[in-house]
Amino acid sequence: MHRPPFAISRRCLAATLTAILCAQPALASAGFVSFDEVKREFRSSDTAVLDRNGELLQRVRTDATVRRGQWIALADVSPALRMAMVMSEDRRFYEHSGIDWRAVSAAAWGNLWNTRTRGASTITMQLSGLLDEDLRRANSGRTFTQKIGQTVAATQLERSWRKDQILEAYLNTVPFRGEIVGIDALSRTLFGKAPNGLDAREASVAAALVRAPNAKPALVAQRACELMRAMEPGQKIDCDAIDMFTSAAVQRRAFDANEGIAPHAARRALRELREAGEAAAPSATSARQAANKETAVRTTLRAPLQRFALGTLQRHLKELRGRHVEDGALVVLDNASGEVLAWVGSSGPLSRAAEVDAVTALRQPGSTLKPLLYAQAIAERRLTAASLIDDSSAQINTASGLYIPQNYDRQFKGPVSARTALAASLNVPAVRTLVMVSPESFARQLRAGGLPLRESGDYYGYSLALGSAEVSLLSLTNAYRTLANGGRYGVTALSARASAPASAAKKADDPAVPILDPRAAFIVGDILSDANARTRTFGLDSILSTRFWTAVKTGTSKDMRDNWAVGWSQRYTVGVWVGNASGASMWDVSGTSGAAPVWAEVMRFLHAREPSRAPKPPAGLVEAHVTFGPGADGNPIEASRSEWFLQGTEQPHFALDSGAAGTPSEAAAARITAPADGTIIALDPDIPPLHQRVRFESEGRGVQWRIDGKHFARGNSAQWLPWPGRHVIELVDATGKVVDQRKLEVRGAGVVAKSARR
């Protein structure tokens, strides 16, 4: 009797495979892995960055080779998707033991007669190929040896795993389209939802993609339509609608590479984790691999605070859009531990440079360096908080020429105390203070406080007092934390330990280092918390005033490119920067309208239920009552008050050039304050002469000016139209006595012409 080819093929093939299975038990056991091992070794392409309590802050793409989501339990996969996958890939999945003999026979028959069939690869066989690199399909297909090994591995899987485990592992490891692997990444990328929410149409498209991951949308839609007909027999299926849906779905990228509210902090935390691994690992490659395996990284951030800070910054920047402002950043530090509690690196969608982390970017800090300068001057006993500093026009001779500082409002206040000068943010007194301290000494102090100056103090010169060096918001805020901690400097900490409990959050590794006299730090904090002292510039009703104790300083860099507000309370230090990442100037944005409102709102949020009390004065401080002598108008320069002093620097009365009895001495006060002796003035032939006048400034009463022995003007100030040559400027008192003089030289085109005529 003649047997059909189908019967012959099936019997021979079954006998062949049975012999192979019996002859290769070692191969099966060698490639065996348990379900728990596969699940444990599964790694998402994203790392979840968590706050200190385990709340998700950000998802960060850490594996660029594939796009994997989270491991999804079978119970969390929609029934429609489970049905579609089984009907598409392995209809007898729940009946066979790893090998579908009927499908094998059908495939053999198709090969014999050169007809198309679905193929004989079961879900279990496909999974075995996904789990073992040696069995993975190449572009040219699997070799005969691979097919045999895949068959053996599938049989072993069926003996050791349950069906639900096989299907769950398959759904989580099967490639779909492009870089997408696993059902979680597919569902969120193409359909914008979790796998448990997929309907029959979405499930059909997903199953069709397994068969042809890189097929054109029309072919995927055709297969999805056929699958839906099989899943819903008797129902009318609109294939045109499926085609339109499929074309739109395969182009979607809803599952963004990074999602959350702390993208910059997340990248920083992962970088810290990688750097920590590099310190311990034998190679940078292994450290990166170890970091990429972390599925969750816990930080020191507080999620509610982070959300509030981000929302407050974005809302305020929207209000400033009409003033050419689009970027901002914010950081909150815990004073005691140095832990970062909030880190907002940019304004996000409001910015054209949202990827730039403005918390670490270097910008000019403006007047925010002044508290550190005055603290150093007080610690070195060059000043007290009551010392008088002249706020008048100054021309400071430097190696590169004259440096002429100006106040923000282009006006001068005359003699003021150091307290008023700092609180009201007057520029000229700050420059005069830096002259006492010296730029190089101040630069060393700034570096000790963690501010990474690129150049020497002499490079910046006296403009360093006004923030000409570039610093980051993080380092500047931490420097203010040093003031809050009584002059003790410590590093900041943004914890980066995977899945660590909150109690194990990373602290600053280095102990706090004393870099400043705690008494000077206290006095500066007392000044910056003094609402009355800042009234000359900010008025009585200032946004900087809070109902609880805080110390704060604002700053604006040259041409309004950067605006800052940095300050501290009893427990927290908050720094805010507002500007443009491009470096473009803002329009009419001051310290109180730019960063300060954000700073104030964040501080109020932090202390909504938490008090903030003034610090206790450290040992070695003396509180004494002081009075001030008369100014040019005959009234006291400032009202009498109680003031803090380093022990040994206190005195009851302050006046300009006061004598032993503490009363003003007009003769001693008469002196030239500008220009400096030895000044060289270079005339510019392109500038009209009337616009190149030199301003003379002096102190004292009833004074007159002489130039080269000839009377020139009366009063404390005069403007002189210079001419080439060497000149002697003399200040004469009311009796005709010369009390001060300056020598200067004027150079210009006229000198050359005169020499040529000779």
Side-chain angles (χ1 to χ4, degrees):
M1 180 178 176
H2 178 70
R3 296 181 181 273
F6 172 82
I8 296 173
S9 299
R10 178 175 177 178
R11 180 177 296 176
C12 293
L13 187 59
T16 301
L17 289 176
T18 301
I20 292 172
L21 294 177
C22 294
Q24 299 189 27
L27 178 62
S29 66
F32 170 73
V33 289
S34 70
F35 172 78
D36 291 337
E37 286 178 304
V38 172
K39 186 175 180 180
R40 186 168 56 249
E41 290 299 317
F42 179 86
R43 290 290 178 266
S44 170
S45 61
D46 306 324
T47 298
V49 179
L50 313 175
D51 85 334
R52 64 197 304 114
N53 297 315
E55 183 175 342
L56 180 64
L57 291 170
Q58 190 78 27
R59 286 190 304 102
V60 181
R61 179 79 174 268
T62 50
D63 187 346
T65 60
V66 295
R67 192 76 174 99
R68 291 194 198 92
Q70 301 300 313
W71 182 278
I72 303 299
L74 190 61
D76 294 327
V77 177
S78 73
L81 179 59
R82 282 179 273 167
M83 178 187 298
M85 201 65 69
V86 170
M87 292 194 69
S88 174
E89 295 302 305
D90 191 355
R91 294 194 179 192
R92 286 174 287 277
F93 171 68
Y94 291 103
E95 301 171 15
H96 62 67
S97 298
I99 304 172
D100 186 351
W101 294 109
R102 290 171 60 183
V104 170
S105 299
W109 177 268
N111 290 335
L112 180 64
W113 296 104
N114 196 28
T115 59
R116 290 181 58 191
T117 64
R118 186 192 64 80
S121 180
T122 64
I123 285 179
T124 312
M125 293 172 67
Q126 292 181 51
L127 178 61
S128 65
L130 295 171
L131 298 182
D132 190 337
E133 291 185 4
D134 294 334
L135 302 179
R136 244 164 237 177
R137 180 187 180 93
N139 292 334
S140 58
R142 289 189 176 88
T143 64
F144 178 76
T145 303
Q146 285 180 313
K147 291 179 180 179
I148 296 302
Q150 186 183 25
T151 303
V152 173
T155 304
Q156 180 63 31
L157 275 177
E158 289 279 354
R159 290 175 181 171
S160 306
W161 291 24
R162 301 190 310 269
K163 286 287 186 180
D164 62 314
Q165 292 177 331
I166 293 172
L167 184 57
E168 181 177 319
Y170 177 74
L171 290 173
N172 281 285
T173 57
V174 65
F176 282 95
R177 187 174 185 84
E179 63 177 0
I180 301 173
V181 173
I183 192 59
D184 188 45
L186 177 83
S187 300
R188 297 182 185 277
T189 302
L190 267 60
F191 309 122
K193 59 174 66 173
N196 61 2
L198 297 186
D199 58 24
R201 182 174 62 175
E202 294 162 340
S204 298
V205 173
L209 285 170
V210 173
R211 299 286 299 277
N214 299 313
K216 294 182 179 180
L219 180 57
V220 175
Q222 179 184 341
R223 290 176 173 171
C225 186
E226 294 172 357
L227 185 55
M228 280 199 71
R229 288 193 177 113
M231 292 171 59
E232 300 179 359
Q235 299 292 324
K236 184 178 180 180
I237 306 300
D238 188 346
C239 290
D240 291 337
I242 293 177
D243 183 74
M244 294 177 61
F245 173 78
T246 303
S247 297
V250 296
Q251 299 178 46
R252 288 191 63 189
R253 289 294 180 269
F255 196 34
D256 294 333
N258 296 287
E259 288 182 336
I261 58 174
H264 303 90
R267 288 198 291 267
R268 173 78 172 215
L270 291 173
R271 185 164 62 251
E272 287 184 2
L273 177 64
R274 185 164 54 250
E275 291 172 352
E278 289 174 357
S283 69
T285 301
S286 60
R288 283 193 299 270
Q289 291 173 347
N292 289 341
K293 285 185 177 181
E294 300 293 356
T295 59
V297 171
R298 192 181 295 267
T299 69
T300 59
L301 299 182
R302 294 180 184 174
L305 174 62
Q306 180 74 13
R307 276 191 292 270
F308 180 85
L310 176 61
T312 300
L313 181 66
Q314 290 179 339
R315 175 169 47 79
H316 185 63
L317 289 175
K318 287 178 182 178
E319 297 173 358
L320 293 176
R321 289 304 288 267
R323 301 189 190 182
H324 197 233
V325 184
E326 67 176 30
D327 290 300
L330 184 150
V331 66
V332 179
L333 303 179
D334 182 279
N335 290 343
S337 65
E339 292 177 343
V340 181
L341 305 180
W343 181 308
V344 181
S346 81
S347 57
L350 303 179
S351 173
R352 285 176 290 182
E355 293 300 310
V356 175
D357 188 354
V359 170
T360 57
L362 297 179
R363 312 285 299 199
Q364 287 190 338
S367 294
T368 55
L369 294 187
K370 290 176 182 175
L372 305 172
L373 171 62
Y374 280 93
Q376 182 177 355
I378 292 172
E380 294 176 356
R381 297 176 179 251
R382 301 179 186 275
L383 281 177
T384 71
S387 297
L388 294 175
I389 311 173
D390 192 19
D391 180 30
S392 61
S393 177
Q395 300 182 27
I396 300 174
N397 192 28
T398 69
S400 57
L402 285 177
Y403 177 60
I404 306 175
Q406 297 287 334
N407 285 325
Y408 180 78
D409 58 3
R410 302 288 178 178
Q411 297 179 2
F412 299 103
K413 307 297 189 295
V416 295
S417 69
R419 174 177 289 272
T420 299
L422 173 56
S425 195
L426 303 179
N427 287 345
V428 176
V431 174
R432 294 189 191 278
T433 301
L434 184 56
V435 172
M436 304 178 202
V437 172
S438 86
E440 186 57 38
S441 177
F442 184 41
R444 287 195 299 269
Q445 181 69 29
L446 292 177
R447 290 193 186 94
L451 294 171
L453 302 190
R454 291 177 172 177
E455 307 292 344
S456 67
D458 292 336
Y459 172 86
Y460 299 110
Y462 296 111
S463 65
L464 185 58
L466 308 183
S468 60
E470 292 183 329
V471 302
S472 70
L473 176 62
L474 180 62
S475 62
L476 181 63
T477 306
N478 195 42
Y480 273 60
R481 186 174 75 91
T482 298
L483 294 173
N485 287 334
R488 297 186 305 276
Y489 167 77
V491 298
T492 59
L494 180 63
S495 180
R497 292 184 178 178
S499 302
S503 59
K506 182 173 180 277
K507 302 289 185 181
D509 293 328
D510 299 330
V513 178
I515 64 167
L516 182 68
D517 191 319
R519 299 171 297 176
F522 174 88
I523 291 173
V524 166
D526 187 66
I527 292 173
L528 296 182
S529 67
D530 187 349
N532 291 326
R534 68 170 75 104
T535 54
R536 288 203 180 189
T537 298
F538 300 99
L540 287 171
D541 188 20
S542 170
I543 190 69
L544 302 176
S545 300
T546 57
R547 294 185 177 182
F548 46 90
W549 187 91
T550 54
V552 59
K553 183 73 184 70
T554 61
T556 304
S557 67
K558 184 179 179 181
D559 298 327
M560 288 191 179
R561 298 179 186 274
D562 310 278
N563 188 253
W564 309 74
V566 190
W568 70 93
S569 64
Q570 184 179 10
R571 182 173 177 183
Y572 308 104
T573 301
V574 178
V576 181
W577 168 82
V578 165
N580 293 297
S582 64
S585 298
M586 299 174 284
W587 299 340
D588 192 27
V589 176
S590 66
T592 54
S593 64
V598 180
W599 178 89
E601 284 199 46
V602 171
M603 270 297 185
R604 284 196 294 269
F605 179 85
L606 288 167
H607 290 285
R609 296 179 179 84
E610 186 175 355
S612 177
R613 299 181 178 88
K616 296 180 179 179
L621 273 180
V622 175
E623 187 175 17
H625 186 79
V626 297
T627 58
F628 296 90
D633 58 0
N635 295 318
I637 294 172
E638 292 188 9
S640 61
R641 64 173 182 261
S642 180
E643 189 58 89
W644 291 101
F645 297 92
L646 273 64
Q647 192 170 24
T649 64
E650 66 272 17
Q651 65 183 69
H653 185 76
F654 289 83
L656 290 175
D657 295 320
S658 57
T663 57
S665 171
E666 293 182 5
R671 64 186 181 90
I672 298 174
T673 57
D677 191 36
T679 295
I680 298 176
I681 300 171
L683 297 177
D684 189 334
D686 294 329
I687 300 176
L690 292 177
H691 293 170
Q692 299 191 65
R693 294 180 182 273
V694 178
R695 187 179 182 87
F696 297 163
E697 295 286 346
S698 69
E699 296 176 349
R701 298 182 182 179
V703 294
Q704 303 177 43
W705 296 93
R706 289 182 187 171
I707 299 179
D708 299 331
K710 297 179 180 180
H711 174 78
F712 171 64
R714 296 177 182 274
N716 292 106
S717 64
Q719 290 191 354
W720 173 58
L721 186 63
W723 64 85
R726 293 184 175 90
H727 306 280
V728 177
I729 312 300
E730 296 175 319
L731 187 68
V732 182
D733 65 11
T735 64
K737 178 183 177 183
V738 176
V739 295
D740 202 359
Q741 73 173 17
R742 297 286 188 271
K743 293 181 180 180
L744 55 84
E745 181 179 353
V746 180
R747 298 176 181 175
V751 176
V752 176
K754 188 176 181 179
S755 300
R757 287 195 299 270
R758 290 178 181 174

